[in-house]
């Protein structure tokens, strides 16, 4: 479950289980972690086989990570035992034991969000990575919980208790981060002020400077900022970021959600530079909040062999596959729509385009997909892509109001890794609209043995 090199990881065992946080739309019930059977030979294939409720209501579970990963290869003192669930709203951090019984995870430890707020001045945790010396969390808010502050918290590997802040000074905004140990570098991105995004998206907040357009490069060992790049109009709301998996690489990508661009960053003569390598045009529409609809790239994943990048367009509704054999010139080789705001027969109409250019609504086993492609996770061998449709409950309610009543879905896409191509698997669908305590919203996905968006190789 810990691998020395990224190429070796591709030959790891085929996934049989998937861990997916579920956000309850019922305020009287807590969020929970689902365990999903993804083994086609199993009688419970494509079903939730276990639910682990959190101890309090209103957490807004979001992203997840591990206490240890392939970056600890060769370290016999560390093992991938705990799936870590930071909660956006409460700030609580849950450590879930998945080693004792991977089919029935159990809660092992909890860090109180209020304690982190009081002791370290941090709110709205987002990304967690298993760093070399500690478990590391990114945060999006300061102590007042409304203004953006890109801070980082270190948690002890053994005690699972907070130790200290990591950074020498916070950034204006926080969100995601990724590091490359061999080059002693880390990149971080930013979303916006929690006081802005937690109530839904208001375009006026852009002009008020309440959303990010910057990325920051750090001295990873020292926690010191080295360079900030303001991306401007082509880099509004830079969310997910990843270096290439090859630990020798000094380049990677980030997705600017609102600008709907994929941006390549790279090192040249000891300076970090950036360039737009994928630009997805907005669509002119009527029947929507604005006259133009961005695609809104909310997630992407790089295959472990660094050959393909996959991205999700939450508003337009499609998943795309690009060949990145030449990282400076990605080539579109696969695309499939799984829903979105542009689907035919809905309230949104394309302007200056024929209705035939709008995708059909997608049904799997008679269930209509709600929302659009959002979080994505790739199998280790690169042949299966899992897709969830919920972004963040307030934004779901704003852009896809039916999702609160009908729930989100998890589906699987088959990937052609030879020539490119994406095909929806008609036999796999997990409908979170049919959960025991009412509709739920599914988000990020993890496998028990690691995956393409949590393992960093040293």
């Amino acid at each position: 479950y810990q691998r020395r090199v990224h190429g070796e990881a591709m030959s790891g065992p085929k996934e049989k289980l998937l861990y997916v946080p579920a956000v309850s739309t019922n305020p009287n019930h807590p969020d929970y972690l689902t365990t999903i059977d993804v083994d086609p030979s199993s009688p419970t294939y494509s079903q939730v086989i276990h639910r682990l409720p959190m101890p309090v209501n209103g957490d807004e579970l979001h992203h997840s990570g591990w206490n240890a990963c392939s970056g600890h290869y060769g370290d016999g003192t560390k093992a991938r035992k705990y799936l870590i669930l930071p909660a956006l709203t409460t700030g609580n951090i849950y450590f879930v034991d998945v080693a004792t019984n991977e089919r029935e995870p159990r809660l092992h430890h909890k860090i109180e969000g209020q304690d982190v707020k009081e002791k370290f001045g941090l709110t709205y945790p987002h990304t967690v990575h298993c760093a070399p010396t500690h478990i590391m969390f990114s945060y999006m808010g300061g102590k007042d919980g409304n203004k953006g502050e890109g801070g980082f918290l270190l948690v002890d590997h053994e005690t699972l208790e907070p130790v200290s802040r990591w950074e020498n000074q916070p950034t204006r905004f926080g969100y995601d981060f990724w590091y490359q140990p061999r080059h002693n570098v880390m990149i971080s991105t930013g979303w916006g002020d929690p006081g802005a995004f937690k109530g839904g998206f208001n375009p006026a907040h852009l002009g008020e400077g309440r959303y990010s357009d910057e990325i920051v490069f750090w001295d990873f060992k020292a926690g010191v900022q080295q360079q900030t790049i303001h991306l401007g109009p082509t880099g509004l709301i830079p969310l997910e970021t990843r270096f290439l998996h090859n630990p020798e690489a000094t380049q990677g990508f980030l997705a600017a959600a609102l600008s709907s661009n994929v941006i390549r960053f790279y090192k040249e003569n000891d300076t970090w530079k950036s360039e737009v390598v994928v630009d997805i045009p907005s669509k002119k529409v009527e029947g929507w909040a604005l006259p133009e609809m961005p695609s809104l790239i909310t997630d992407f994943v790089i295959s472990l062999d660094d050959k393909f990048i996959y991205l999700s367009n939450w508003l337009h509704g499609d998943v795309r596959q690009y060949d990145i054999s030449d990282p400076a010139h990605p080539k579109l080789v696969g695309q499939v729509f799984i829903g979105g705001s542009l689907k035919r027969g809905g309230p949104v109409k394309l302007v200056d385009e024929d209705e035939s250019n709008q995708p059909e609504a997608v049904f799997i086993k008679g269930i209509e997909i709600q929302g659009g492609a959002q979080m994505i996770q790739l199998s280790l061998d690169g042949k299966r892509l899992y897709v969830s449709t919920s972004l963040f409950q307030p934004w779901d309610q704003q852009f896809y109001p039916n999702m609160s009543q009908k729930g989100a879905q998890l589906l699987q896409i088959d990937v052609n890794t030879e020539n490119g191509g994406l095909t929806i698997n008609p036999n796999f669908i997990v409908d979170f609209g049919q959960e025991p305590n009412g509709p739920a919203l599914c988000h990020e996905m993890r496998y028990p043995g690691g995956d393409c968006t949590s393992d960093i190789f040293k």
Side-chain angles (χ1 to χ4, degrees):
Y1 286 92
Q2 293 179 13
R3 302 168 182 88
R4 183 173 61 86
V5 293
H6 56 113
E8 182 181 292
M10 289 196 74
S11 59
K14 182 178 178 180
E15 73 282 358
K16 293 184 177 182
L17 297 174
L18 202 60
Y19 299 128
V20 184
V23 176
S24 176
T25 61
N26 185 335
N28 297 316
H29 288 279
D31 298 348
Y32 52 101
L33 177 69
T34 64
T35 304
I36 296 171
D37 187 336
V38 295
D39 180 1
S41 65
S42 169
T44 53
Y45 174 63
S46 185
Q47 295 178 30
V48 176
I49 60 172
H50 186 262
R51 296 172 180 86
L52 176 68
M54 298 301 105
V56 300
N57 298 343
D59 272 321
E60 186 79 35
L61 297 181
H62 197 63
H63 280 220
S64 59
W66 296 101
N67 68 302
C69 64
S70 292
H72 295 116
Y73 180 85
D75 184 347
T77 67
K78 297 183 176 64
R80 195 191 306 264
K81 296 188 296 184
Y82 305 119
L83 181 67
I84 306 171
L85 304 173
L88 278 184
T89 305
T90 63
N92 294 329
I93 297 172
Y94 300 103
F95 293 80
V96 176
D97 176 2
V98 299
T100 302
N101 185 343
E102 65 180 12
R103 296 178 69 87
E104 298 182 5
R106 61 190 185 189
L107 187 61
H108 174 76
H109 182 65
K110 174 187 176 186
I111 295 175
E112 294 285 350
Q114 189 63 30
D115 290 346
V116 174
K117 178 180 178 179
E118 294 301 324
K119 295 176 183 178
F120 303 101
L122 292 168
T123 55
Y124 284 85
H126 190 268
T127 299
V128 52
H129 278 303
C130 42
T133 61
H134 294 81
I135 304 168
M136 188 167 169
F137 297 78
S138 65
Y139 279 76
M140 299 185 289
K143 194 167 186 176
D144 76 353
N146 286 304
K147 185 178 179 182
E149 180 173 319
F152 299 87
L153 180 70
L154 297 179
V155 169
D156 186 87
H157 275 294
E158 301 304 321
T159 66
L160 306 182
E161 292 294 345
V163 176
S164 66
R165 296 275 291 255
W166 171 79
E167 76 284 3
N168 69 321
Q169 66 181 75
T171 55
R172 172 68 178 89
F173 299 104
Y175 188 79
D176 198 18
F177 69 100
W178 195 279
Y179 62 91
Q180 254 335 28
R182 294 189 188 182
H183 299 287
N184 188 35
V185 64
M186 187 184 92
I187 180 175
S188 65
T189 61
W191 186 359
D193 286 333
F197 66 68
K198 69 182 181 182
F201 179 67
N202 181 349
H205 289 155
L206 282 172
E208 297 169 1
R210 303 191 68 186
Y211 282 98
S212 178
D213 74 339
E214 69 179 32
I215 55 175
V216 179
F217 294 90
W218 303 76
D219 179 314
F220 184 56
K221 292 180 180 178
V224 174
Q225 296 182 34
Q226 292 188 317
Q227 184 182 342
T228 299
I229 297 177
H230 288 275
L231 301 167
T234 61
L236 295 175
I237 311 185
L239 295 183
E240 310 297 336
T241 186
R242 329 250 188 255
F243 273 92
L244 294 180
H245 293 290
N246 182 349
E248 291 291 343
T250 53
Q251 62 178 321
F253 300 94
L254 64 95
L258 192 60
S259 298
S260 303
N261 291 329
V262 174
I263 294 171
R264 170 180 170 255
F265 58 85
Y266 58 98
K267 195 172 187 179
E268 185 177 279
N269 299 325
D270 294 325
T271 300
W272 291 98
K273 297 185 176 181
S274 66
E275 62 177 354
V276 174
V277 292
V278 174
D279 179 18
I280 300 177
S282 296
K283 293 285 190 179
K284 293 183 179 180
V285 294
E286 59 184 27
W288 198 64
L290 298 170
E292 291 193 359
M293 180 189 292
S295 75
L296 208 74
I297 305 174
T298 50
D299 196 18
F300 75 92
V301 59
I302 302 172
S303 61
L304 284 173
D305 57 4
D306 291 332
K307 181 179 178 182
F308 294 109
I309 189 172
Y310 302 85
L311 63 84
S312 57
N313 292 310
W314 191 56
L315 290 179
H316 287 184
D318 58 319
V319 176
R320 297 186 179 202
Q321 176 189 21
Y322 289 85
D323 185 323
I324 55 168
S325 301
D326 177 0
H329 300 93
K331 179 183 177 183
L332 181 63
V333 294
Q335 182 181 22
V336 64
F337 281 86
I338 66 160
S341 294
L342 295 176
K343 60 186 177 184
R344 202 176 306 175
V348 178
K349 306 295 181 186
L350 289 174
V351 176
D352 300 329
E353 289 190 51
D354 191 88
E355 188 183 31
S356 62
N357 290 331
Q358 297 186 228
E360 296 276 6
V362 174
F363 291 82
I364 302 175
K365 293 186 174 181
I367 300 165
E368 182 177 5
I369 303 301
Q370 303 297 316
Q374 212 287 102
M375 294 304 294
I376 53 179
Q377 185 59 266
L378 187 66
S379 61
L380 297 180
D381 62 11
K383 295 180 179 180
R384 292 164 303 284
L385 191 71
Y386 295 89
V387 185
S388 63
T389 61
S390 166
L391 173 59
F392 173 50
Q393 191 162 198
W395 289 42
D396 292 347
Q397 292 169 348
Q398 179 179 5
F399 293 104
Y400 294 108
N402 287 340
M403 198 187 296
S404 293
Q405 288 77 44
K406 297 184 178 181
Q409 286 78 39
L410 175 72
L411 59 155
Q412 187 234 303
I413 294 172
D414 293 321
V415 180
N416 184 326
T417 57
E418 297 298 322
N419 303 313
L422 303 173
T423 307
I424 294 173
N425 179 350
N427 299 313
F428 186 94
I429 179 75
V430 181
D431 183 12
F432 282 81
Q434 299 300 316
E435 285 295 276
N437 291 317
L441 308 170
C442 52
H443 200 65
E444 191 166 48
M445 299 144 278
R446 296 285 180 214
Y447 312 124
D451 47 68
C452 297
T453 56
S454 62
D455 277 306
I456 294 176
F457 300 89
K458 64 178 182 178

